[in-house]
Amino acid sequence: MSTFLQQLVNGLSVGSIYALIALGYTMVYGTLGLINFAHGEVFMIGCYIGLYAAFWLGYDALAAASFSPMSATLVLLLAMAGAAIVGMLIERLAYRPLRGAPRLAPLITAIGVSLLLQNIAVLAFSANPRKFPSIITEHRLEFAGVTITNIKIFIFAVSILLMLALEFFVKKTWTGRAMRAISFNLPAAKLMGVPADRVISLTFAIGSALAAAGGILFGLDQTKLEPLMGNMIGLKAFIAAVLGGIGNIRGAAIGGLLIGVAELMTAGYISSGYRDAITFVILIVILLFRPQGLLGVVRQEKV
Amino acid sequence: MTDALRVTDLKVNYGGIQAVKGISLTVGRGEIVALIGANGAGKTSTLKAIVRLIASQGQIDFFGATAGGRATHQIAALGVSLVPEGRAIFGNMSVRENLEMGAFLHRDALERKHHMERVFALFPRLAERLKQDGNTLSGGEQQMLAIGRAMMSQPKLLLLDEPSLGLAPKLVGEIFAAIRVIAADGLSILLVEQNTRLALKTAGRAYVLVTGEVALSGNAEDLRDDPRIQSAYLGGDTTRSNG
């Protein structure tokens, strides 16, 4: 029982990071019908921005405990802002010129952007893994044989908070509503006076900021970062988005949490060697039996 | 006073095919003008080109201001609203949200409420369906919602693309009654319609499009009596291409 609870706690924490990244995939897919394969790299860049921001704010590995919560929050915000700019640049430079082009063109471009960013990262940050600064000092708490760290709670809390904020934004604000309108019918949204290019740009900014938040949380949790880290995590988050129903925001959140829990349960009960495999098993199963995803609906082709 | 809409030598190309071959038309202020013609004559292309949903050549002016260099959402800001063919309702939003999207450029809550009341007066059925999702509505209700949504943007020029398409005669009657009410308020309307008889009954003037060119134009009444229109579109003798 305690194994189960322990793995559940860990799984929810990892899963909430996947969920944050999955939101970016699903939002971009929702508005443009494009799978932004460079999204995993935005996550990686967000993570690195956090690393540099921490040092810039005076982080000292020998006196990590003296790094204030205020500064830690600032690291998170700087990473989110930096990644938002990167995301908007990607959209402006790589995808916007291809608006209206056959679907394959932006898809291949996305893969190209992903490779480009990975290699820029190797050049800029070096291929050697770096240790993410412990901007939050870890405390362990014990409950009925289950160990929970304050970091895991922080990860979960920040993720849920951001997801709720996104939900509110999309449902209640004019811009959020414009995003939903674009995702359902782009020409009709333009007819309502929606400045579609600006809203799409903002979609990339928000998705990228959430990925960067995921990057910081991942850094806190796993402490190791490297230029190719966006590959696997990006893929898993993408699978989370597919599992939840790509294009569906709640679906991405649920998909991320489910995949996180499934991974950690597999690690706990079968073998940690199968941890990555289970995600792909889930992908195959969902594609076979419910290709539209858990919350997805089968949609007619757009007119 | 400048016209609500002035189109000069409009051309639309799809690949190598010219769908609209240099048409010119005007819609005066407060006027209902019909654009009629068979399937594929270029009616929908003309409307889409006017609001810049598709690329075109030629001059387009709204109330004396040129459309050149403006994107679709900026044309909406000029007070031009297109009710597209197939309604293009936001199926993932409720009726209320659809109407509110119509008021995207007019965010004053009080004003919006007032305009929504007017839409409900026009189409009482929408008021009963407020919370329902757009894609659960019937075809007729969707058309009402599409027109209502356009009215929420407080347009000065309304472009209607085939409002009668696929609707039962009773609903067509309701929709056109509403269009006449809207027009009586002084709105300028360009009506694209396959139902020629209905279009000529509703409009003051009309243009007849044949394969991308204006073949005939004039007062709706005169066109109704024109033998060429009678035989080609109104089923004057044996041919009955439209109801």
Side-chain angles (χ1 to χ4, degrees):
Chain A
M1 186 63 193
S2 71
T3 313
F4 177 82
L5 285 177
Q6 184 67 61
Q7 295 310 91
L8 184 68
V9 166
N10 295 346
L12 286 175
S13 150
V14 173
S16 57
I17 296 174
Y18 294 155
L20 281 180
I21 307 166
L23 289 169
Y25 279 109
T26 225
M27 286 172 74
V28 166
Y29 185 85
T31 47
L32 284 185
L34 163 75
I35 294 163
N36 178 16
F37 279 114
H39 192 58
E41 277 57 55
V42 174
F43 155 82
M44 174 268 293
I45 290 171
C47 206
Y48 272 98
I49 294 175
L51 171 94
Y52 287 108
F55 287 117
W56 182 67
L57 288 169
Y59 173 80
D60 179 358
L62 298 174
S66 67
F67 201 71
S68 71
M70 183 71 176
S71 305
T73 313
L74 209 53
V75 167
L76 180 70
L77 294 179
L78 283 172
M80 289 174 77
I85 293 170
V86 172
M88 283 161 83
L89 280 175
I90 294 173
E91 189 273 331
R92 186 70 191 83
L93 300 175
Y95 302 144
R96 195 179 298 180
L98 294 171
R99 200 100 10 107
R103 283 176 85 120
L104 203 54
L107 194 71
I108 293 169
T109 304
I111 295 170
V113 173
S114 161
L115 291 171
L116 179 73
L117 292 176
Q118 283 176 11
N119 288 289
I120 289 177
V122 169
L123 276 178
F125 313 133
S126 103
N128 296 326
R130 298 281 299 267
K131 188 184 176 305
F132 194 83
S134 326
I135 52 177
I136 295 178
T137 314
E138 193 178 71
H139 299 290
R140 283 166 185 280
L141 308 157
E142 296 270 347
F143 282 114
V146 179
T147 310
I148 304 179
T149 65
N150 60 330
I151 289 182
K152 293 233 187 301
I153 295 172
F154 179 74
I155 290 172
F156 193 66
V158 169
S159 306
I160 296 294
L161 206 69
L162 287 172
M163 284 187 251
L164 289 177
L166 181 68
E167 173 90 7
F168 175 83
F169 174 77
V170 168
K171 285 269 148 71
K172 298 291 178 199
T173 67
W174 281 98
T175 314
R177 223 174 247 179
M179 276 178 192
R180 283 161 66 209
I182 287 175
S183 88
F184 200 81
N185 191 325
L186 177 61
K190 289 180 181 172
L191 289 173
M192 303 298 119
V194 172
D197 280 341
R198 229 159 62 207
V199 175
I200 287 169
S201 187
L202 190 66
T203 306
F204 273 83
I206 293 173
S208 302
L210 293 175
I216 300 301
L217 299 178
F218 180 85
L220 283 171
D221 194 43
Q222 306 287 314
T223 69
K224 193 183 95 171
L225 56 165
E226 53 182 333
L228 300 187
M229 68 195 275
N231 250 343
M232 194 52 146
I233 312 277
L235 199 53
K236 286 180 178 173
F238 170 63
I239 293 171
V242 172
L243 170 63
I246 191 141
N248 185 308
I249 285 178
R250 278 185 202 176
I254 291 168
L257 292 175
L258 279 177
I259 288 204
V261 171
E263 273 191 5
L264 272 286
M265 289 298 170
T266 307
Y269 286 100
I270 305 173
S271 152
S272 52
Y274 288 113
R275 184 181 156 165
D276 290 344
I278 189 69
T279 309
F280 296 98
V281 170
I282 291 174
L283 177 66
I284 291 166
V285 170
I286 197 88
L287 288 181
L288 280 176
F289 296 106
R290 205 176 154 79
Q292 73 272 32
L294 294 176
L295 299 189
V297 284
V298 183
R299 275 229 318 240
Q300 296 128 335
E301 272 299 299
K302 285 183 192 174
V303 189
Chain B
M1 201 151 64
T2 52
D3 288 318
L5 171 68
R6 175 176 289 275
V7 173
T8 317
D9 199 24
L10 183 77
K11 294 187 182 102
V12 176
N13 293 298
Y14 290 112
I17 302 150
Q18 196 163 40
V20 178
K21 301 170 182 164
I23 70 166
S24 298
L25 58 86
T26 58
V27 178
R29 297 200 182 200
E31 199 182 17
I32 306 185
V33 174
L35 190 58
I36 57 182
N39 257 334
K43 305 183 302 279
T44 295
S45 296
T46 302
L47 286 192
K48 284 186 173 171
I50 288 172
V51 296
R52 299 246 158 200
L53 277 176
I54 53 174
S56 63
Q57 292 134 39
Q59 176 74 21
I60 301 163
D61 297 290
F62 301 106
F63 306 96
T66 177
R70 284 180 223 263
T72 302
H73 70 273
Q74 290 163 326
I75 285 172
L78 291 176
V80 178
S81 192
L82 167 67
V83 178
E85 189 181 4
R87 357 287 190 202
I89 292 306
F90 300 117
N92 55 345
M93 296 186 196
S94 68
V95 167
R96 175 186 285 281
E97 286 175 314
N98 266 281
L99 290 173
E100 286 174 352
M101 266 317 287
F104 188 77
L105 298 170
H106 302 272
R107 309 221 176 140
D108 184 81
L110 216 74
E111 210 181 310
R112 203 170 65 224
K113 191 162 173 283
H114 168 71
H115 283 277
M116 211 178 274
E117 296 294 330
R118 284 183 49 183
V119 170
F120 295 155
L122 214 52
F123 302 115
R125 221 184 295 187
L126 291 182
E128 299 161 20
R129 300 267 188 277
L130 262 190
K131 289 205 173 75
Q132 234 169 289
D133 265 4
N135 53 16
T136 65
L137 300 182
S138 71
E141 288 163 351
Q142 289 198 351
Q143 188 62 59
M144 292 173 189
L145 180 55
I147 295 174
R149 186 179 63 179
M151 293 310 293
M152 290 298 290
S153 72
Q154 307 172 31
K156 292 186 285 179
L157 170 65
L158 190 63
L159 311 170
L160 294 164
D161 198 353
E162 304 274 11
S164 78
L165 195 71
L167 300 186
K170 185 175 166 289
L171 281 167
V172 173
E174 272 182 53
I175 299 280
F176 272 77
I179 291 172
R180 285 189 202 100
V181 170
I182 293 168
D185 283 353
L187 212 77
S188 317
I189 296 177
L190 178 60
L191 169 69
V192 159
E193 187 51 70
Q194 266 197 44
N195 186 333
T196 308
R197 191 184 302 275
L198 192 56
L200 292 179
K201 230 169 71 186
T202 311
R205 279 190 311 119
Y207 294 84
V208 183
L209 275 193
V210 177
T211 58
E213 287 172 288
V214 175
L216 272 177
S217 64
N219 283 330
E221 255 172 68
D222 300 341
L223 287 172
R224 240 181 301 172
D225 299 333
D226 192 303
R228 287 168 291 182
I229 298 282
Q230 294 247 324
S231 66
Y233 301 108
L234 296 176
D237 38 45
T238 50
T239 50
R240 183 168 271 273
S241 61
N242 281 289

